[in-house]
PDB file of all heavy atoms in Angstrom:
ATOM      1  N   GLY G  74     114.438  99.574 121.389  1.00 94.00           N
ATOM      2  CA  GLY G  74     115.731  98.886 121.453  1.00 94.00           C
ATOM      3  C   GLY G  74     115.938  97.966 120.277  1.00 94.00           C
ATOM      4  O   GLY G  74     117.040  97.867 119.710  1.00 94.00           O
ATOM      5  N   ILE G  75     114.866  97.267 119.901  1.00 94.00           N
ATOM      6  CA  ILE G  75     114.942  96.360 118.757  1.00 94.00           C
ATOM      7  C   ILE G  75     115.201  97.119 117.458  1.00 94.00           C
ATOM      8  O   ILE G  75     115.952  96.691 116.595  1.00 94.00           O
ATOM      9  CB  ILE G  75     113.644  95.526 118.667  1.00 94.00           C
ATOM     10  CG1 ILE G  75     113.603  94.495 119.774  1.00 94.00           C
ATOM     11  CG2 ILE G  75     113.524  94.858 117.293  1.00 94.00           C
ATOM     12  CD1 ILE G  75     112.306  93.724 119.874  1.00 94.00           C
ATOM     13  N   MET G  76     114.576  98.292 117.381  1.00 91.00           N
ATOM     14  CA  MET G  76     114.683  99.070 116.143  1.00 91.00           C
ATOM     15  C   MET G  76     116.051  99.707 115.934  1.00 91.00           C
ATOM     16  O   MET G  76     116.352 100.149 114.823  1.00 91.00           O
ATOM     17  CB  MET G  76     113.625 100.164 116.118  1.00 91.00           C
ATOM     18  CG  MET G  76     112.309  99.673 115.598  1.00 91.00           C
ATOM     19  SD  MET G  76     111.214 101.057 115.394  1.00 91.00           S
ATOM     20  CE  MET G  76     112.117 102.033 114.228  1.00 91.00           C
ATOM     21  N   GLU G  77     116.833  99.777 116.996  1.00 88.00           N
ATOM     22  CA  GLU G  77     118.168 100.344 116.831  1.00 88.00           C
ATOM     23  C   GLU G  77     119.040  99.457 115.965  1.00 88.00           C
ATOM     24  O   GLU G  77     119.977  99.919 115.326  1.00 88.00           O
ATOM     25  CB  GLU G  77     118.828 100.545 118.198  1.00 88.00           C
ATOM     26  CG  GLU G  77     118.423 101.857 118.860  1.00 88.00           C
ATOM     27  CD  GLU G  77     118.934 101.950 120.272  1.00 88.00           C
ATOM     28  OE1 GLU G  77     119.955 101.294 120.575  1.00 88.00           O
ATOM     29  OE2 GLU G  77     118.326 102.678 121.061  1.00 88.00           O
ATOM     30  N   PHE G  78     118.700  98.197 115.936  1.00 82.00           N
ATOM     31  CA  PHE G  78     119.519  97.247 115.180  1.00 82.00           C
ATOM     32  C   PHE G  78     119.576  97.556 113.676  1.00 82.00           C
ATOM     33  O   PHE G  78     120.659  97.778 113.149  1.00 82.00           O
ATOM     34  CB  PHE G  78     119.016  95.822 115.443  1.00 82.00           C
ATOM     35  CG  PHE G  78     119.827  94.756 114.812  1.00 82.00           C
ATOM     36  CD1 PHE G  78     121.163  94.579 115.178  1.00 82.00           C
ATOM     37  CD2 PHE G  78     119.297  93.920 113.847  1.00 82.00           C
ATOM     38  CE1 PHE G  78     121.925  93.582 114.587  1.00 82.00           C
ATOM     39  CE2 PHE G  78     120.059  92.942 113.251  1.00 82.00           C
ATOM     40  CZ  PHE G  78     121.378  92.763 113.622  1.00 82.00           C
ATOM     41  N   PRO G  79     118.446  97.637 112.982  1.00 77.00           N
ATOM     42  CA  PRO G  79     118.554  97.933 111.543  1.00 77.00           C
ATOM     43  C   PRO G  79     119.075  99.332 111.265  1.00 77.00           C
ATOM     44  O   PRO G  79     119.706  99.567 110.252  1.00 77.00           O
ATOM     45  CB  PRO G  79     117.104  97.795 111.053  1.00 77.00           C
ATOM     46  CG  PRO G  79     116.270  98.024 112.247  1.00 77.00           C
ATOM     47  CD  PRO G  79     117.057  97.483 113.406  1.00 77.00           C
ATOM     48  N   ALA G  80     118.820 100.257 112.191  1.00 71.00           N
ATOM     49  CA  ALA G  80     119.289 101.629 111.985  1.00 71.00           C
ATOM     50  C   ALA G  80     120.811 101.674 111.957  1.00 71.00           C
ATOM     51  O   ALA G  80     121.416 102.322 111.099  1.00 71.00           O
ATOM     52  CB  ALA G  80     118.757 102.537 113.068  1.00 71.00           C
ATOM     53  N   THR G  81     121.456 100.973 112.885  1.00 69.00           N
ATOM     54  CA  THR G  81     122.922 100.982 112.910  1.00 69.00           C
ATOM     55  C   THR G  81     123.494 100.137 111.781  1.00 69.00           C
ATOM     56  O   THR G  81     124.506 100.481 111.192  1.00 69.00           O
ATOM     57  CB  THR G  81     123.463 100.466 114.251  1.00 69.00           C
ATOM     58  OG1 THR G  81     122.926  99.172 114.498  1.00 69.00           O
ATOM     59  CG2 THR G  81     123.062 101.397 115.390  1.00 69.00           C
ATOM     60  N   GLU G  82     122.816  99.055 111.456  1.00 69.00           N
ATOM     61  CA  GLU G  82     123.269  98.198 110.376  1.00 69.00           C
ATOM     62  C   GLU G  82     123.254  98.909 109.037  1.00 69.00           C
ATOM     63  O   GLU G  82     124.127  98.733 108.199  1.00 69.00           O
ATOM     64  CB  GLU G  82     122.389  96.944 110.287  1.00 69.00           C
ATOM     65  CG  GLU G  82     122.630  95.918 111.376  1.00 69.00           C
ATOM     66  CD  GLU G  82     123.925  95.158 111.173  1.00 69.00           C
ATOM     67  OE1 GLU G  82     124.177  94.678 110.069  1.00 69.00           O
ATOM     68  OE2 GLU G  82     124.694  95.056 112.136  1.00 69.00           O
ATOM     69  N   LEU G  83     122.216  99.731 108.865  1.00 65.00           N
ATOM     70  CA  LEU G  83     122.044 100.424 107.590  1.00 65.00           C
ATOM     71  C   LEU G  83     123.236 101.306 107.255  1.00 65.00           C
ATOM     72  O   LEU G  83     123.584 101.488 106.103  1.00 65.00           O
ATOM     73  CB  LEU G  83     120.769 101.277 107.637  1.00 65.00           C
ATOM     74  CG  LEU G  83     119.558 100.733 106.895  1.00 65.00           C
ATOM     75  CD1 LEU G  83     118.337 101.571 107.203  1.00 65.00           C
ATOM     76  CD2 LEU G  83     119.807 100.687 105.404  1.00 65.00           C
ATOM     77  N   THR G  84     123.826 101.900 108.293  1.00 64.00           N
ATOM     78  CA  THR G  84     124.936 102.822 108.029  1.00 64.00           C
ATOM     79  C   THR G  84     126.216 102.063 107.709  1.00 64.00           C
ATOM     80  O   THR G  84     127.119 102.599 107.086  1.00 64.00           O
ATOM     81  CB  THR G  84     125.178 103.734 109.253  1.00 64.00           C
ATOM     82  OG1 THR G  84     125.482 102.916 110.378  1.00 64.00           O
ATOM     83  CG2 THR G  84     123.926 104.547 109.561  1.00 64.00           C
ATOM     84  N   LEU G  85     126.313 100.817 108.181  1.00 58.00           N
ATOM     85  CA  LEU G  85     127.533 100.042 107.966  1.00 58.00           C
ATOM     86  C   LEU G  85     127.609  99.487 106.538  1.00 58.00           C
ATOM     87  O   LEU G  85     128.678  99.361 105.965  1.00 58.00           O
ATOM     88  CB  LEU G  85     127.617  98.873 108.959  1.00 58.00           C
ATOM     89  CG  LEU G  85     127.685  99.282 110.434  1.00 58.00           C
ATOM     90  CD1 LEU G  85     127.674  98.051 111.324  1.00 58.00           C
ATOM     91  CD2 LEU G  85     128.935 100.116 110.691  1.00 58.00           C
ATOM     92  N   VAL G  86     126.437  99.169 106.043  1.00 64.00           N
ATOM     93  CA  VAL G  86     126.334  98.586 104.707  1.00 64.00           C
ATOM     94  C   VAL G  86     126.448  99.697 103.657  1.00 64.00           C
ATOM     95  O   VAL G  86     126.544 100.866 103.976  1.00 64.00           O
ATOM     96  CB  VAL G  86     124.990  97.824 104.621  1.00 64.00           C
ATOM     97  CG1 VAL G  86     124.395  97.859 103.245  1.00 64.00           C
ATOM     98  CG2 VAL G  86     125.168  96.390 105.082  1.00 64.00           C
ATOM     99  N   TRP G 115     123.156  92.406 103.647  1.00 86.00           N
ATOM    100  CA  TRP G 115     122.420  93.127 104.655  1.00 86.00           C
ATOM    101  C   TRP G 115     121.332  92.260 105.302  1.00 86.00           C
ATOM    102  O   TRP G 115     121.034  92.359 106.471  1.00 86.00           O
ATOM    103  CB  TRP G 115     121.788  94.352 103.962  1.00 86.00           C
ATOM    104  CG  TRP G 115     121.132  95.299 104.899  1.00 86.00           C
ATOM    105  CD1 TRP G 115     121.659  95.855 106.034  1.00 86.00           C
ATOM    106  CD2 TRP G 115     119.809  95.822 104.793  1.00 86.00           C
ATOM    107  NE1 TRP G 115     120.755  96.702 106.608  1.00 86.00           N
ATOM    108  CE2 TRP G 115     119.608  96.694 105.875  1.00 86.00           C
ATOM    109  CE3 TRP G 115     118.766  95.647 103.879  1.00 86.00           C
ATOM    110  CZ2 TRP G 115     118.418  97.389 106.064  1.00 86.00           C
ATOM    111  CZ3 TRP G 115     117.595  96.344 104.073  1.00 86.00           C
ATOM    112  CH2 TRP G 115     117.433  97.194 105.164  1.00 86.00           C
ATOM    113  N   MET G 121     118.248  89.737 111.498  1.00 91.00           N
ATOM    114  CA  MET G 121     117.749  90.770 110.607  1.00 91.00           C
ATOM    115  C   MET G 121     116.395  90.372 110.030  1.00 91.00           C
ATOM    116  O   MET G 121     115.504  91.207 109.880  1.00 91.00           O
ATOM    117  CB  MET G 121     118.755  90.988 109.473  1.00 91.00           C
ATOM    118  CG  MET G 121     118.542  92.281 108.716  1.00 91.00           C
ATOM    119  SD  MET G 121     118.533  93.721 109.831  1.00 91.00           S
ATOM    120  CE  MET G 121     119.558  94.820 108.912  1.00 91.00           C
ATOM    121  N   PHE G 141     110.369 105.298 110.144  1.00 90.00           N
ATOM    122  CA  PHE G 141     111.525 104.543 109.655  1.00 90.00           C
ATOM    123  C   PHE G 141     111.283 104.084 108.227  1.00 90.00           C
ATOM    124  O   PHE G 141     112.120 104.259 107.337  1.00 90.00           O
ATOM    125  CB  PHE G 141     111.791 103.349 110.567  1.00 90.00           C
ATOM    126  CG  PHE G 141     112.851 102.429 110.053  1.00 90.00           C
ATOM    127  CD1 PHE G 141     114.193 102.694 110.290  1.00 90.00           C
ATOM    128  CD2 PHE G 141     112.511 101.296 109.323  1.00 90.00           C
ATOM    129  CE1 PHE G 141     115.178 101.843 109.803  1.00 90.00           C
ATOM    130  CE2 PHE G 141     113.479 100.448 108.830  1.00 90.00           C
ATOM    131  CZ  PHE G 141     114.812 100.710 109.075  1.00 90.00           C
TER     132      PHE G 141
END
Side-chain angles (χ1 to χ4, degrees):
Chain G
I75 287 174
M76 275 188 60
E77 276 172 26
F78 185 63
T81 55
E82 285 286 312
L83 257 171
T84 60
L85 297 177
V86 147
W115 187 52
M121 196 55 135
F141 173 84

